[in-house]
Amino acid sequence: MSTVELIATSTFGLEAVVKREVTDLGFDIISVENGKVTFKSDFSGIAKANLWLRSADRVLLKIGEFKAESFEELFDKTKALPWGEWITQDGEFTVTGKSIKSKLFSVPDCQSIVKKAVVEKLKEKYEVDWFEETGAKYTIQVALLKNIATLTIDTSGEGLHKRGYRETALEAPLKETLAAAMIQLSFWDKNRLLVDPFCGSGTIPIEAAMIGRNMAPGLHRKFASEEWPQIGEKIWKEERVKALKAIRQDVEINIIASDIDKRAIEVAENNAFEAGVDDCIEFKSIDMAKLRLNEKYGVIICNPPYGERLGEKEEVRELYKTMGIKFNKLDTWSKYVITSEEDFEKYYKKKADKKRKLYNGRIKVDYYQYYGPRPPKK
């Protein structure tokens, strides 16, 4: 089967997590750069990567890469690429773009040039002058970085954080991809107790339960490339069957998800049911300060309020002080907190063992990691 190059895009700071996921899936890494991991695959790997990647944003099919310092150069080199091998005669395609530190800085102009070049290439391929565009959808991206143009087609469609289980969400929910990365950056595994005392719509506990059960995060959603004849229905069906067989229903998962907001708990319970992991999570409507944690060893992973709105800062800082009083007593536990508060450690009253800069949407955040001792082997 033909070899292709795929790019798993990621939020800044999560490249190492995505690289590990790509490697664990058996793919060969070509390069790791800011916001993307490039790897080799066959056609079936397009389906496999989309179904299984937890922390990546999208999977892009790389069509070509070249230097472009003029619109003429961009047009000619784009037209030279094998678009007809992927885009069908009735294919509906759009062009998106971005440009960073490049001579061709006008993104709309770059999109227009690429669109014209692809149309001209397809006219030659199919020997027609007009396209109906009633078939499968293809989203082409032209990305210019320091005068190097990378041309890709998006195989995912909607972003990979759209798992399909979150029918309802609260205001400013944590992205599923970031939640999955937070879990993978922690010491938690399926044999340990996990607690999220600010669970909101349940994203962290649900993603953890799916990891513990080895459930492919994309199993219950559709992808743009499912409509592409080059991959075919057979490959997608085979990869979905493999994913279904890989689920570990026999594994017992111990997760406590709590929130002071009763409405949040109702939403989280519904989302856990949709994800098929409601039997793994105990939901509680309770104030974090009143939550009783009697286990000797455990892991806390949480996304507490940030206090982004004016007037909320002091209230949130008092919350962080309470968290410090509560969590620092749990000296055999590992604790992980994500927040945009740059002085979190001051209010929490303890310096983190490790701090990682990330982004929650467009908000710059830090992931504070406090390591407890490893529990004794049973």
Side-chain angles (χ1 to χ4, degrees), residues 250-304:
D250 59 317
V251 174
E252 287 190 20
I253 310 293
N254 189 7
I255 298 173
I256 296 173
S258 66
D259 201 288
I260 196 170
D261 185 349
K262 289 184 179 180
R263 169 61 182 153
I265 293 299
E266 291 173 6
V267 169
E269 287 178 325
N270 183 63
N271 291 338
F273 176 79
E274 292 294 332
V277 294
D278 51 309
D279 62 323
C280 301
I281 307 167
E282 180 184 357
F283 290 99
K284 296 181 178 182
S285 176
I286 189 172
D287 187 332
M288 176 273 301
K290 297 178 181 178
L291 186 63
R292 298 183 67 180
L293 302 172
N294 299 320
E295 291 275 345
K296 178 70 174 173
Y297 296 93
V299 177
I300 293 172
I301 305 177
C302 63
N303 174 41

Side-chain angles (χ1 to χ4, degrees), residues 47-246:
K48 184 177 182 180
N50 274 297
L51 287 168
W52 280 100
L53 287 177
R54 299 182 189 279
S55 302
D57 292 330
R58 292 180 182 279
V59 179
L60 308 178
L61 171 68
K62 185 176 175 181
I63 304 298
E65 190 171 82
F66 50 80
K67 189 173 184 178
E69 295 184 330
S70 69
F71 288 132
E72 182 180 12
E73 198 173 13
L74 179 62
F75 179 90
D76 290 341
K77 291 181 177 179
T78 297
K79 187 182 175 186
L81 296 175
W83 299 105
E85 291 181 10
W86 290 97
I87 301 176
T88 56
Q89 185 172 341
D90 63 350
E92 177 188 341
F93 71 94
T94 55
V95 181
T96 64
K98 58 184 179 180
S99 179
I100 301 171
K101 298 179 181 177
S102 296
K103 288 184 178 180
L104 302 179
F105 58 84
S106 172
V107 173
D109 286 338
C110 291
Q111 291 173 230
S112 179
I113 292 292
V114 168
K115 176 87 174 182
K116 288 176 183 175
V118 175
V119 167
E120 290 304 313
K121 181 73 171 187
L122 296 179
K123 281 181 178 178
E124 292 178 2
K125 163 78 173 179
Y126 296 115
E127 299 181 344
V128 296
D129 291 322
W130 183 75
F131 299 96
E132 292 185 2
E133 296 195 54
T134 56
K137 290 180 171 60
Y138 303 83
T139 301
I140 298 169
Q141 183 187 81
V142 50
L144 284 145
L145 175 61
K146 298 179 180 177
N147 300 317
I148 300 298
T150 304
L151 278 295
T152 59
I153 305 177
D154 179 13
T155 73
S156 301
E158 287 192 304
L160 295 182
H161 70 283
K162 297 276 190 178
R163 312 290 206 217
Y165 66 72
R166 197 156 71 180
E167 298 298 323
T168 48
L170 303 173
E171 187 180 354
L174 189 71
K175 266 192 174 182
E176 293 87 335
T177 44
L178 179 55
M182 289 167 60
I183 296 155
Q184 293 181 94
L185 287 167
S186 77
F187 284 167
W188 182 78
D189 65 42
K190 62 183 183 296
N191 300 311
R192 299 187 70 176
L193 169 65
L194 173 64
V195 177
D196 178 1
F198 306 98
C199 73
S201 55
T203 309
I204 291 172
I206 290 170
E207 290 294 321
M210 292 174 71
I211 290 170
R213 283 268 170 92
N214 199 37
M215 297 172 70
L219 195 53
H220 301 297
R221 55 158 287 177
K222 294 289 185 181
F223 302 92
S225 49
E226 288 190 62
E227 305 298 321
W228 300 359
Q230 294 86 347
I231 304 173
E233 187 180 327
K234 184 171 180 281
I235 285 176
W236 278 99
K237 185 175 181 180
E238 287 173 351
E239 291 301 323
R240 277 201 162 88
V241 168
K242 288 178 186 176
L244 282 168
K245 289 181 177 179

